[in-house]
Amino acid sequence: MYRSMYVLAAAGGLIALASCGGNGGPGYSVLPASELEQVRSDPRSVRLAAIGEGSDTLIVPSMHFRIQDSQQGGTDVVANIYCDGDTCRTVTGETLSLTDLANPEIDVSVISADLGARGEFDTIRLVARADAGYFGGLGVTLTEDPKSTEHGLWGEHGYAAVAVLDAPYSANVGGITSTGRVNVRTALVLGDSTGSNPEGTGGATWSGVAEAVTRGFERRTGTATVAIPDLSRPSVNVEVLIGGRDIGSTRWSGIPLRDGNYQSGSRGRDFVEGNFHGPNHEETYGAFDTGAYVGAFGAKR
């Protein structure tokens, strides 16, 4: 069940790419055909599809599950996802690749796909339902098709998003019957990373926007700033403001930069990871998990 939840939540961005790019994929039975075609043909969607097709790297900082069971009350579970290039590994040893995420084999119905813009980035709010039959197993049955909501942002070379999933279920394990709900929150970044550090003299700054989800599975928006004070000795400072408050830690300053990647902190406490994208390292995208917030950001030079 949990792996299936992961595939849907983390694949949200690539489902969005498939639905908006017009490249086939699962069924889209809810959104009117005329409205879906309008979204697909929008130049912003075309660029989003191109980013997905050209992606070679994936960042997923972690997944947070909340299980509210009629027999046991509420339980929070954190499943850390460790990513390396185009492959992610879970703490239970499962392996997921960009190919897995791009082809999740889930029948998805798009409810709404709203395009917009914020802070020089294009945005999407994608609401979808997936076939509950895909999630069977372990004596657990979803009693309603799970609903996912994704808030994504992209520029020219990368995509960042947060996703939230909600589903009611019934279970019969060891003869004990219970009902409840499962909620999932996660963040993801994908794109064609440079694999190299910015170079030059002096410093450089990237500014942009952030998306986050709270412990209560509520969306929050904010801003992000990534700075390299001295390009000849590259180390990265990351500042993410949610509601005007800096949610980072001292470990988000002076982060070593290796092959265009920066990473610091502990997952569920003060974790952040990002990559640089595009010619002249024009953009940077990252994801974070502070426990209080799971989110992602994009910033432009």
Side-chain angles (χ1 to χ4, degrees):
M1 176 182 177
Y2 292 144
R3 181 184 186 279
S4 301
M5 289 290 187
Y6 171 79
V7 171
L8 178 62
L14 291 172
I15 291 173
L17 298 176
S19 66
C20 295
N23 296 321
Y28 306 98
S29 59
V30 177
L31 194 67
S34 59
E35 186 175 338
L36 178 61
E37 181 56 36
Q38 183 177 356
V39 173
R40 283 175 169 171
S41 62
D42 191 291
R44 294 168 292 182
S45 298
V46 173
R47 188 168 68 255
L48 175 58
I51 291 171
E53 292 167 0
S55 294
D56 67 354
T57 188
L58 173 69
I59 297 173
V60 179
S62 63
M63 298 195 67
H64 289 233
F65 298 83
R66 174 166 292 173
I67 304 168
Q68 296 176 299
D69 190 277
S70 60
Q71 296 294 324
Q72 300 179 1
T75 303
D76 287 333
V77 180
V78 178
N80 288 334
I81 311 297
Y82 300 94
C83 300
D84 180 17
D86 65 352
T87 301
C88 288
R89 292 175 176 82
T90 71
V91 292
T92 57
E94 294 175 292
T95 300
L96 295 167
S97 68
L98 283 175
T99 302
D100 295 328
L101 297 178
N103 301 282
E105 297 182 356
I106 305 173
D107 184 17
V108 174
S109 297
V110 175
I111 298 172
S112 65
D114 303 317
L115 297 172
R118 186 163 68 90
E120 299 186 28
F121 287 86
D122 292 317
T123 62
I124 188 170
R125 179 179 182 270
L126 181 75
V127 181
R129 285 195 180 276
D131 181 5
Y134 178 83
F135 298 91
L138 300 178
V140 176
T141 301
L142 297 191
T143 55
E144 182 180 305
D145 287 349
K147 177 182 175 182
S148 65
T149 302
E150 175 151 340
H151 301 278
L153 60 100
W154 67 98
E156 298 291 334
H157 309 286
Y159 179 75
V162 294
V164 178
L165 183 144
D166 175 76
Y169 72 87
S170 64
N172 189 318
V173 180
I176 299 175
T177 300
S178 63
T179 59
R181 301 192 75 86
V182 175
N183 298 99
V184 185
R185 60 175 180 153
T186 191
L188 62 93
V189 170
L190 58 89
D192 183 6
S193 60
T194 61
S196 63
N197 297 342
E199 297 179 342
T201 58
T205 301
W206 291 254
S207 301
V209 295
E211 291 280 350
V213 180
T214 69
R215 290 184 189 273
F217 297 88
E218 298 174 334
R219 177 199 182 195
R220 296 287 186 268
T221 61
T223 61
T225 303
V226 176
I228 300 178
D230 184 351
L231 290 167
S232 66
R233 296 183 295 177
S235 64
V236 176
N237 300 331
V238 178
E239 179 186 72
V240 176
L241 302 180
I242 301 296
R245 185 174 68 87
D246 188 351
I247 66 167
S249 75
T250 56
R251 299 183 69 177
W252 291 14
S253 296
I255 305 172
L257 184 59
R258 298 184 179 90
D259 300 324
N261 175 269
Y262 49 93
Q263 181 181 143
S264 183
S266 301
R267 298 167 196 267
R269 182 180 301 171
D270 56 3
F271 182 81
V272 65
E273 181 180 1
N275 289 314
F276 287 93
H277 301 254
N280 197 35
H281 303 81
E282 296 171 1
E283 299 174 349
T284 182
Y285 295 87
F288 53 88
D289 175 14
T290 68
Y293 298 99
V294 171
F297 63 84
K300 295 185 178 183
R301 191 167 185 170

